[in-house]
Amino acid sequence: MLVMVYGCATATVAATTTTPPATTTSTSAMTTSTSSTTSTTTTSTTVPDYFDCRPNPFTDDFAAQLAADYPGVDITAHVHDLRSNCGYSLNREVRTRTASVFKVMVMAGALLEAQNEGRPPSELELEWMTPMITESANSPVRSLWRSFGGSPWFREQGEIFKLRETSVAGDDWSAWGNTRTSALDQVGLLRQVLLGDWGPLEEAYREVALELMTSVVPEQTWGVTAGVPDDWVVAQKNGFAGRTANSVGWVDEPGESEGYVIAVLTRGWSNWRNGIPAIERISTRVAEIMTAPPR
């Protein structure tokens, strides 16, 4: 497994970038493993002292243990610490199916359509978006797609939100859940849709997205909520279908600090439910570090 960190002064890292704000890359150690060989390359750069990254949750030992415990499963994750601007990647190169986390992009596109028309989301649009996000209903995805003119609306949203590592499916009536993406792209999308770190959505429309993603039905609040203290707020969306289990979200710290954004994407399970413990294992590991008091 490949472990990466950017923007940190002391972590085990490899160079990576986030879109579009600039970040600073630090000490680098890339470890790539196959069944027969392991190679390590190390480089370093100077990072300003004001970067104070928390420890890397995706250590080589943790990555190796995941690979041993879940053979044949693709697992990738990305975390962005909003307080330090430090990022951490697990298996950065992996691209996998979105399943229903795709619906975050659909919601973002619908909100942007309303914003561009100078109006709030219509009652009908909210009637579609609410079950789509809070219950992961599927039919509203196509309803929204048709209401905004159909093909190539899905693909345009990927371009608008600059999801450069996402290959959108669905405009040709193929299954939209087969869209392939990276954990980094999903974290970047949440930073636009919920936080406004960059991107086109204005605050009023981001507030709608936040309200929906903090109102997920209890039976779908597994995943990136694992290990998070009770007084922290999680805005999330899970994706689950067939062999795919994913969980993405913003974990908001009490007070003025903004916590962190996380995406965990997995594929290769005999049934998606079997992927939940692995996702929650990763989330718990991340939460132990990201919710601890700063050093």
Side-chain angles (χ1 to χ4, degrees):
M1 287 194 173
L2 180 62
V3 180
M4 292 185 175
V5 181
Y6 61 76
C8 297
T10 58
T12 301
V13 299
T16 185
T17 58
T18 189
T19 311
T23 58
T24 303
T25 304
S26 66
T27 311
S28 175
M30 296 176 57
T31 303
T32 305
S33 300
T34 66
S35 58
S36 57
T37 62
T38 300
S39 61
T40 301
T41 303
T42 303
T43 62
S44 63
T45 58
T46 301
V47 180
D49 291 339
Y50 57 78
F51 281 100
D52 187 17
C53 293
R54 287 169 169 78
N56 179 12
F58 305 132
T59 62
D60 291 341
D61 287 345
F62 182 66
Q65 192 61 58
L66 290 174
D69 291 347
Y70 310 113
V73 177
D74 290 329
I75 298 176
T76 183
H78 188 79
V79 177
H80 184 86
D81 187 345
L82 295 159
R83 299 151 296 190
S84 64
N85 202 36
C86 297
Y88 312 80
S89 281
L90 173 70
N91 290 338
R92 172 74 181 81
E93 77 286 359
V94 170
R95 306 290 181 269
T96 189
R97 293 183 183 180
T98 58
S100 286
V101 300
F102 179 80
K103 294 167 184 173
V104 175
M105 188 188 79
V106 177
M107 173 186 66
L111 292 172
L112 184 60
E113 292 281 358
Q115 176 182 297
N116 289 343
E117 293 175 9
R119 59 173 178 81
S122 69
E123 289 186 12
L124 183 58
E125 288 163 354
L126 289 172
E127 186 178 308
W128 286 330
M129 284 190 291
T130 298
M132 181 181 75
I133 297 298
T134 65
E135 303 171 17
S136 206
N138 289 328
S139 58
V141 176
R142 284 293 175 190
S143 296
L144 286 163
W145 177 78
R146 293 189 190 100
S147 74
F148 295 124
S151 185
W153 189 78
F154 284 150
R155 194 164 288 106
E156 287 174 352
Q157 304 320 304
E159 295 169 356
I160 289 168
F161 289 95
K162 295 181 170 59
L163 305 182
R164 298 189 177 101
E165 299 175 354
T166 299
S167 301
V168 177
D171 280 325
D172 56 0
W173 293 96
S174 61
W176 45 262
N178 289 335
T179 293
R180 297 181 68 81
T181 192
S182 68
L184 180 65
D185 257 10
Q186 292 306 303
V187 166
L189 179 61
L190 292 182
R191 291 177 64 193
Q192 294 178 75
V193 174
L194 298 178
L195 291 146
D197 285 350
W198 70 90
L201 282 180
E202 297 172 0
E203 183 176 6
Y205 299 88
R206 297 197 307 270
E207 288 177 353
V208 174
L210 181 61
E211 175 65 24
L212 292 173
M213 292 185 66
T214 53
S215 302
V216 172
V217 294
E219 56 267 30
Q220 292 183 22
T221 56
W222 50 267
V224 296
T225 55
V228 175
D230 291 340
D231 58 341
W232 291 52
V233 176
V234 181
Q236 72 173 133
K237 182 71 190 81
N238 292 339
F240 43 96
R243 304 177 69 197
T244 299
N246 301 326
S247 187
V248 304
W250 170 30
V251 183
D252 187 17
E253 182 176 1
E256 296 182 1
S257 184
E258 292 182 331
Y260 61 96
V261 183
I262 178 173
V264 185
L265 311 178
T266 71
R267 178 169 171 78
W269 310 102
S270 58
N271 181 287
W272 65 263
R273 290 177 178 83
N274 297 334
I276 295 176
I279 293 174
E280 295 193 334
R281 177 178 173 181
I282 293 169
S283 175
T284 299
R285 169 91 170 195
V286 169
E288 287 173 353
I289 294 172
M290 293 294 150
T291 65
R295 295 172 298 180

